[in-house]
């Protein structure tokens, strides 16, 4: 299995590239796709969600919104072709079909992108992108801190058990 090109835990390390991204919730054994979106500048777009919290997906101005605190991982896919806006929009439409997120970005899609996404030629080209491992993975620092805390708690419990076992011998 191929690993992602990049794995980061800070938005400052995310590249400024056009990309399709999928925000995942849940634990490693039970991940689900919470949201799929696109960005002409991935770093800027994820900063909107996680730092500034001013994206339409997280502001809570609609019936459904995204809570960045519950996102455990963000996978992204970037290709040279994504610098063409129509191609990027069409790729997002395909990602919706393939990844079936709980929530989708709310941006308008051009007629050209809609038409492109419905061609067999495009689907055959783009399917390979999303069926491979992502270009990168972002694990938010809050998730890393929570995992560290859980591991420390488990380690303390194990150390206590070992100490009790030694006393009983």
């Amino acid at each position: 299995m191929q690993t992602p090109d990049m794995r980061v835990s800070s938005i400052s390390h995310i590249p400024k590239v056009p990309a399709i991204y999928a925000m995942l919730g849940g634990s490693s054994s039970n991940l689900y796709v919470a949201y799929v979106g696109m960005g002409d500048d991935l770093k800027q777009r994820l900063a909107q969600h996680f730092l500034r919290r001013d994206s339409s997906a997280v502001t809570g101005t609609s019936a459904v919104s995204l809570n960045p605190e519950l996102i455990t991982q963000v996978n992204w896919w970037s290709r040279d072709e994504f610098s063409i806006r129509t191609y990027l929009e069409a790729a997002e439409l395909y990602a919706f079909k393939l990844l079936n997120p709980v929530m989708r970005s709310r941006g308008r899609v051009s007629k050209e992108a809609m038409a492109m996404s419905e061609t067999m030629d495009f689907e055959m080209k783009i399917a390979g992108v999303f069926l491979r491992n992502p270009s990168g993975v972002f694990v938010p620092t809050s998730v890393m801190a929570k995992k560290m805390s859980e591991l420390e708690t488990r380690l303390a419990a194990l150390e206590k058990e070992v100490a009790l076992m030694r006393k009983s011998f």
Side-chain angles (χ1 to χ4, degrees):
M1 178 183 259
Q2 192 180 8
T3 58
D5 294 341
M6 179 179 280
R7 187 171 188 86
V8 299
S9 60
S10 170
I11 289 189
S12 64
H13 295 112
I14 293 172
K16 293 181 174 198
V17 296
I20 302 296
Y21 59 92
M23 293 185 176
L24 308 175
S27 63
S28 58
S29 62
N30 193 23
L31 284 174
Y32 64 92
V33 179
Y35 179 79
V36 167
M38 66 175 193
D40 294 309
D41 178 338
L42 180 65
K43 183 177 192 170
Q44 151 73 20
R45 187 68 178 131
L46 293 184
Q48 268 190 299
H49 292 308
F50 289 94
L51 302 178
R52 295 192 313 273
R53 299 194 183 205
D54 61 359
S55 71
S56 61
V58 300
T59 57
T61 56
S62 66
V64 178
S65 65
L66 187 68
N67 182 347
E69 295 300 319
L70 299 177
I71 299 303
T72 55
Q73 180 175 315
V74 179
N75 294 346
W76 76 82
W77 296 265
S78 183
R79 309 277 298 165
D80 291 339
E81 298 92 337
F82 289 175
S83 62
I84 302 165
R85 181 65 182 207
T86 303
Y87 200 96
L88 182 64
E89 289 177 1
E92 182 187 41
L93 291 173
Y94 185 80
F96 289 158
K97 281 197 272 187
L98 183 68
L99 302 174
N100 194 25
V102 174
M103 185 176 164
R104 300 166 187 228
S105 69
R106 295 189 258 306
R108 291 187 185 252
V109 178
S110 69
K111 290 178 186 176
E112 296 85 2
M114 187 72 76
M116 180 186 283
S117 73
E118 294 171 353
T119 66
M120 186 63 77
D121 184 46
F122 178 79
E123 284 198 10
M124 289 176 64
K125 285 179 187 175
I126 203 69
V129 172
F130 295 109
L131 294 174
R132 288 195 279 290
N133 282 345
S135 304
V137 174
F138 167 57
V139 179
T141 307
S142 61
V143 173
M144 300 286 274
K146 182 180 176 186
K147 286 182 180 181
M148 283 294 283
S149 176
E150 289 170 357
L151 285 172
E152 287 171 350
T153 301
R154 288 174 59 196
L155 179 60
L158 287 171
E159 287 173 340
K160 211 179 229 185
E161 279 185 45
V162 168
L164 287 172
M165 287 171 57
R166 284 184 178 157
K167 283 184 181 179
S168 66
F169 285 115

